[in-house]
Amino acid sequence: MVTILFDGIAYGMLLFILACGLSVTLGLMNFVNLAHGAFALAGGYITANLMNRLGVSFFLCLPIAFLFSAAIGVLLERTLYHRLYDRSHLDQVLFTIGIVFMTVSAVDYVMGSGAQMINIPDALRGRVEFLGGSIGVYRLFIIIICGLLTILLQLGLVRTRFGSRLRAAVDDPRVARGLGINVNLVFAVTFAIGSGLAGLGGALGAEVLGMDPTFPVKFMIYFLIVVTVGGASSVTGAFFASLILGIADVAGKYYVPKAGAFIIYAIMVLVLIWRPQGLFARSATR
Amino acid sequence: MTEATMAVTTAQAPAAPAARRLLIASARWRWWEFAVWIAAFAAIVLLPRQLLLLNEIAILALFALSLDLILGYAGIVSLGHAAFFGLGAYAAGLIAKFGYGDPLLGLLGAAGCAAVLGFATSFLLLRGSDLTRLMVTLGIALMLQELANRESWLTGGADGLQGVTMAPVLGRFDFDIFGRTAYVYSLCVLLVLFLLARRVVHSPFGLSLRAVKLNPLRARAVGISVNVRLVAIYTMSAAYAGVAGALSAQTTQYVSLDVFDFIRSADVMLVLVLGGVGYLYGGILGALIFKAMQDYLSSVTAQYWQFWIGLVLVILVLVGRDRIGALFSRITVPFSRGARS
């Protein structure tokens, strides 16, 4: 019981780190980005390749994965994505699906279709006993890292000058521009951080979630669930939604393996019928 | 003057003559429309080796047409349209498997099942934003896929539904390995359903749908009951998609789990966008381009053809769908003016 709860929390935390970038672009900037998983894929692959081919330490790979994905994110944002901010949702969906298709095929072509293996360092292997349950050390590591990041993110968004600039830029880009805020820069940095976090999540999660070229398609749905169920307007909403989703998924797979993902989708649809703006939405989305 | 325009004129009798003329003009048959259908039927004789591919094109065209009804005319963005395609495929497959091999019966059954599901789920789409709709439609398709996977005693699970044997169409035309019967059968179904759809979108009902798409708030203000119309068109579109699924199941005599795939929903959206949204021929044109592209690309780069499809999507959006549409209508300007309002 404790083990399942703990695994669920770890899984949920991981989902949150993977999806929180999406909750900002989709929730705050109102941009439907189905290609978010591609950044996680980039993070997972760079880690696997650095570790397996060059023997770089896992702990060093994590920040590299973050920076690598963030760099790709900012590159794409500046060249392509920013053109689509004011386009219709249909255009955004089509465009990002196109990106997903291209990523999946390109990665398959370059790296092969097999799953990427990440050997986590020995220090993170093994299990500890806790409240009568046995807990993987790696899971504990994930929870600690993701927990710290969550706190940092929340503080950054609420307490810092950059956070308030971002919120202003999202609420009303024109007025924000008039106040001298460099809206384009703010969006680009936000996008980079979101992609970077996805990359970090991909690196951390490769061992737990599995990393192969179809990753962006497989987990796109989970990311979207997190954002829509959590309510697209807050990071805390996405956080709780990830935890619920993580625990429900792990528990569901353990107790009723036959029902599989059915429960998750059913819960999502029910929540969306009940509260179309998401569970934790402050107000109607714009 | 066709029937459709008659209905428009009688329903809008007090309308200004200019407006009436515009509506009549927009519903009139144009020469290239006849050309499309003549070409489609001529292909039976002219391209006897490609009939299997043509059959796939006809089915995909019908599927895309069903999406056009909701996306192009009602503005509902769906990422789970495969739910209805898949349900129709399984319904038709199961009907045939349990001894009722008559294809038309299967079509009716599939259309009925899909319409019921469409009707039931349409109420979920009346609330919320585009994003909520995307997620709900996607969620329903995924739920059905899980369900089909789990209830393997009925659906065959991951192995697919086997043992589908079809009786001859109308008791006379047996399905052959060259796909001749299959293509003619699918094309006739496509034509009939197309005519019905054409009639519907040019009727007062179809016109009011466009008003809803352009501005739901104003449409409601001028007295159009928005929700009733959305439910109706969504149900109709679901039935169409169900028929497309049924055609696929009957002509291939096999149904697999991937009928519910997200990729299928995404593909059909791409097909429709390739051909153009909101003038009914987009599905047919798109299906033609898509299948030709797929056929060519998968012979060049077997497993990576999705890359090029993705590239086409990206370019399409960056260049702007409107601009490509404008280019197209400039070529056909004298005959298609008003067709894509």
Side-chain angles (χ1 to χ4, degrees), chain B residues 10-45:
Chain B
T10 48
Q12 313 224 338
R20 200 165 60 200
R21 264 203 305 281
L22 193 72
L23 289 175
I24 292 169
S26 78
R28 188 173 294 143
W29 277 80
R30 286 166 190 78
W31 68 266
W32 57 267
E33 296 190 62
F34 292 108
V36 167
W37 292 105
I38 291 169
F41 279 97
I44 303 166
V45 190

Side-chain angles (χ1 to χ4, degrees), chain A residues 26 32 34 80 83-84 87-91 93-95 97-99 101-102 105-106 108-109 217 220-221 224-225 228 232 258-262 265-266 268-269 272-274 276-277 285, chain B residues 71 77 79 124 127-132 134-136 138-140 142-144 146-147 150 262-263 266-267 269-270 273 277 303-307 309-311 313-314 317-321:
Chain A
L26 205 158
V32 182
L34 299 184
L80 299 174
R83 295 162 198 263
L84 295 164
R87 297 280 276 278
S88 71
H89 281 156
L90 178 63
D91 274 342
V93 166
L94 290 169
F95 180 81
I97 287 181
I99 297 270
F101 280 180
M102 286 170 73
S105 300
D108 193 344
Y109 179 72
V217 182
M220 177 195 82
I221 295 145
L224 287 173
I225 291 176
T228 44
K258 289 211 83 178
F262 185 82
Y265 303 137
M268 177 197 74
V269 170
L272 288 180
I273 297 166
W274 175 43
Q277 312 296 350
T285 48
Chain B
L71 184 65
V77 185
L79 261 188
L124 312 180
R127 301 174 65 190
S129 57
D130 275 354
L131 178 64
T132 319
L134 274 183
M135 290 308 295
V136 169
L138 182 59
I140 288 164
L142 291 171
M143 277 163 75
L144 285 177
E146 284 296 322
L147 213 59
R150 203 172 46 147
F262 163 72
I263 301 283
D267 276 351
M269 193 180 253
L270 165 63
V273 167
V277 178
Q303 64 191 116
Y304 307 115
W305 70 275
Q306 262 198 347
F307 179 86
I309 296 285
L311 190 65
L313 264 179
V314 167
V317 175
L318 283 182
V319 173
R321 291 182 289 124

Side-chain angles (χ1 to χ4, degrees), chain B residues 4-332:
Chain B
T5 58
M6 297 277 286
V8 171
T9 43
T10 48
Q12 313 224 338
R20 200 165 60 200
R21 264 203 305 281
L22 193 72
L23 289 175
I24 292 169
S26 78
R28 188 173 294 143
W29 277 80
R30 286 166 190 78
W31 68 266
W32 57 267
E33 296 190 62
F34 292 108
V36 167
W37 292 105
I38 291 169
F41 279 97
I44 303 166
V45 190
L46 297 180
L47 296 168
R49 285 160 184 274
Q50 304 290 335
L51 288 177
L52 284 172
L53 185 66
L54 286 171
N55 178 44
E56 285 177 33
I57 292 176
I59 293 170
L60 189 60
L62 181 60
F63 190 26
L65 172 67
S66 79
L67 185 66
D68 200 9
L69 285 178
I70 57 168
L71 184 65
Y73 288 90
I76 300 174
V77 185
S78 164
L79 261 188
H81 216 51
F84 306 115
F85 184 90
L87 186 68
Y90 272 108
L94 287 171
I95 289 171
K97 194 180 176 184
F98 290 118
Y100 302 98
D102 182 49
L104 292 180
L105 187 75
L107 282 192
L108 276 182
C113 288
V116 168
L117 181 72
F119 180 75
T121 53
S122 65
F123 293 97
L124 312 180
L125 301 175
L126 300 179
R127 301 174 65 190
S129 57
D130 275 354
L131 178 64
T132 319
R133 288 173 170 177
L134 274 183
M135 290 308 295
V136 169
T137 49
L138 182 59
I140 288 164
L142 291 171
M143 277 163 75
L144 285 177
Q145 188 172 29
E146 284 296 322
L147 213 59
N149 186 22
R150 203 172 46 147
E151 308 296 326
S152 50
W153 58 273
L154 184 68
T155 61
D159 297 334
L161 184 68
Q162 278 152 356
V164 179
T165 39
M166 300 310 302
V169 182
L170 298 173
R172 291 188 60 185
F173 306 101
D174 229 331
F175 286 106
D176 53 306
I177 54 162
F178 306 106
R180 193 183 169 86
T181 315
Y183 176 60
V184 177
Y185 171 55
S186 299
L187 190 61
C188 289
V189 173
L190 175 65
L191 178 62
V192 170
L193 290 182
F194 178 86
L195 292 176
L196 181 68
R198 200 179 185 286
R199 176 77 176 73
V200 166
V201 301
H202 289 301
S203 71
F205 169 77
L207 294 172
S208 66
L209 264 180
R210 284 193 197 188
V212 171
K213 182 197 174 192
L214 292 174
N215 194 332
L217 218 60
R218 281 194 196 170
R220 200 168 271 143
V222 297
I224 297 171
S225 40
V226 171
N227 288 355
V228 176
R229 279 170 173 72
L230 290 184
V231 168
I233 195 70
Y234 197 72
T235 308
M236 179 173 163
S237 160
Y240 269 46
V243 171
L247 285 178
S248 153
Q250 290 174 344
T251 52
T252 57
Q253 315 211 341
Y254 175 72
V255 186
S256 68
L257 274 182
D258 70 8
V259 288
F260 289 118
D261 249 0
F262 163 72
I263 301 283
R264 191 176 288 269
S265 302
D267 276 351
V268 73
M269 193 180 253
L270 165 63
V271 165
L272 182 58
V273 167
L274 269 180
V277 178
Y279 71 113
L280 292 183
Y281 283 93
I284 297 172
L285 181 64
L288 207 62
I289 301 173
F290 183 83
K291 278 290 176 191
M293 210 158 70
Q294 187 183 29
D295 198 49
Y296 172 72
L297 287 176
S298 49
S299 67
V300 180
T301 56
Q303 64 191 116
Y304 307 115
W305 70 275
Q306 262 198 347
F307 179 86
W308 304 105
I309 296 285
L311 190 65
V312 169
L313 264 179
V314 167
I315 292 172
L316 203 67
V317 175
L318 283 182
V319 173
R321 291 182 289 124
D322 309 343
R323 257 182 267 174
I324 293 171
L327 190 73
F328 175 75
S329 57
R330 201 177 308 151
I331 297 167
T332 59

Side-chain angles (χ1 to χ4, degrees), chain A residues 18-70:
Chain A
L18 282 165
C20 68
L22 186 65
S23 92
V24 173
T25 45
L26 205 158
L28 296 177
M29 285 146 77
N30 202 12
F31 178 77
V32 182
N33 182 11
L34 299 184
H36 191 69
F39 299 112
L41 186 79
Y45 266 72
I46 191 87
T47 304
N49 281 298
L50 281 179
M51 283 179 68
N52 297 341
R53 298 196 182 179
L54 302 176
V56 181
S57 139
F58 179 70
F59 298 102
L60 189 61
C61 281
L62 292 181
I64 294 177
F66 177 87
L67 291 175
F68 183 67
S69 299

